[in-house]
Amino acid sequence: MIYMGLLLYCLTVVFLIATRIRNADKLSLLSKTLLSVSLIVLAIISSSSEKMVMLSIVFSSVADIFLGIHRIEKKSSYLFYIALIWVTCSQICLLVSSINLTKFNVYSIFLAIILNLILYCSFAKKCEMGNMQKISMIYSYIFLIVVLNVIFNIEKLELIYILAILLYWISDIILFAQKFIAKESKEILDAINKVMYYTAQMLFVLYIQK
């Protein structure tokens, strides 16, 4: 049953990528919503003790729907900010999760500041850092703390959890580049982002199903 579900999930991701390449935004939103609802249902019915990971899946999925609507309603920038709030809540849940599973490494806070400043300076050279970009970097800082805390405690965590975190993080960097920086090859970056993001979310689902 789970293999059939994974197959349907993968086919829906492929369909989503195809609709994005053809700029069929409404069909894209439909498949994105189906994927998000599927992830939410799978997370809730898992009845996992990993409540923070479960909440992270739910928050990320809700954020993804808002981002899909924002793609259609491009002038409604508030939808982007709502999505960012949801996804930031997702990262906070992952941070709490990583702390619960291991311990918090205080060096993560300071190293995250340095790395985020490097990312900010790198992006600022390639695009104008408006409100959306600057607020995205605040979210990026929280996610960097999560990633670094996982790396510092890597030997204490399961591989599937580590891979999910790293894929999720890389997909967000690609999303930022695709949305704010790239002038060419946007479709390729978008496809890579979708594959990485939905793979990460499914890994989280498989992790809490164990």
Side-chain angles (χ1 to χ4, degrees):
M1 186 67 178
I2 189 164
Y3 294 112
M4 183 61 71
L6 283 171
L7 177 60
L8 289 172
Y9 183 83
C10 292
L11 288 173
T12 310
V13 172
V14 171
F15 179 72
L16 170 60
I17 293 170
T19 55
R20 293 293 285 264
I21 290 173
R22 296 183 66 84
N23 290 317
D25 289 340
K26 290 185 178 179
L27 281 175
S28 171
L29 178 59
L30 175 62
S31 52
K32 185 184 279 276
T33 303
L34 287 172
L35 285 166
S36 296
V37 171
S38 299
L39 287 167
I40 291 170
V41 171
L42 286 170
I44 292 173
I45 66 174
S46 68
S47 300
S48 173
S49 59
E50 300 286 352
K51 301 299 182 189
M52 289 296 105
V53 178
M54 185 179 76
L55 283 173
S56 173
I57 295 168
V58 173
F59 291 153
S60 294
S61 299
V62 173
D64 204 31
I65 293 172
F66 276 104
L67 284 174
I69 300 171
H70 170 64
R71 183 179 172 87
I72 296 174
E73 303 291 337
K74 291 181 173 63
K75 294 182 179 179
S76 302
S77 60
Y78 71 92
L79 291 170
F80 176 80
Y81 296 125
I82 292 172
L84 208 57
I85 291 170
W86 279 101
V87 81
T88 300
C89 291
S90 167
Q91 303 317 320
I92 292 171
C93 288
L94 287 178
L95 178 59
V96 174
S97 165
S98 67
I99 294 170
N100 288 340
L101 290 169
T102 55
K103 61 180 181 180
F104 183 66
N105 192 306
V106 70
Y107 293 112
S108 302
I109 296 174
F110 305 108
L111 189 54
I113 292 173
I114 296 170
L115 291 176
N116 209 44
L117 284 173
I118 292 172
L119 283 174
Y120 181 88
C121 292
S122 299
F123 291 144
K125 291 178 181 178
K126 299 180 183 298
C127 70
E128 182 181 347
M129 298 299 283
N131 289 333
M132 281 188 180
Q133 291 88 338
K134 289 176 181 177
I135 293 173
S136 295
M137 295 310 294
I138 295 171
Y139 151 76
S140 170
Y141 173 66
I142 297 172
F143 206 171
L144 271 170
I145 295 175
V146 176
V147 172
L148 290 169
N149 195 57
V150 166
I151 291 172
F152 280 129
N153 295 285
I154 198 166
E155 74 283 351
K156 301 174 185 176
L157 296 166
E158 293 186 30
L159 180 60
I160 190 171
Y161 182 87
I162 297 166
L163 286 175
I165 293 285
L166 293 177
L167 284 173
Y168 194 178
W169 178 54
I170 295 170
S171 76
D172 270 5
I173 293 175
I174 293 171
L175 177 62
F176 187 96
Q178 181 256 328
K179 185 172 179 62
F180 299 122
I181 298 174
K183 294 177 181 176
E184 297 178 357
S185 304
K186 280 180 173 284
E187 292 82 4
I188 295 173
L189 288 174
D190 188 55
I192 295 170
N193 164 258
K194 293 294 172 286
V195 169
M196 287 192 163
Y197 171 77
Y198 287 110
T199 300
Q201 295 306 310
M202 183 48 69
L203 286 175
F204 279 130
V205 169
L206 292 175
Y207 172 75
I208 63 176
Q209 296 281 347
K210 68 181 189 331

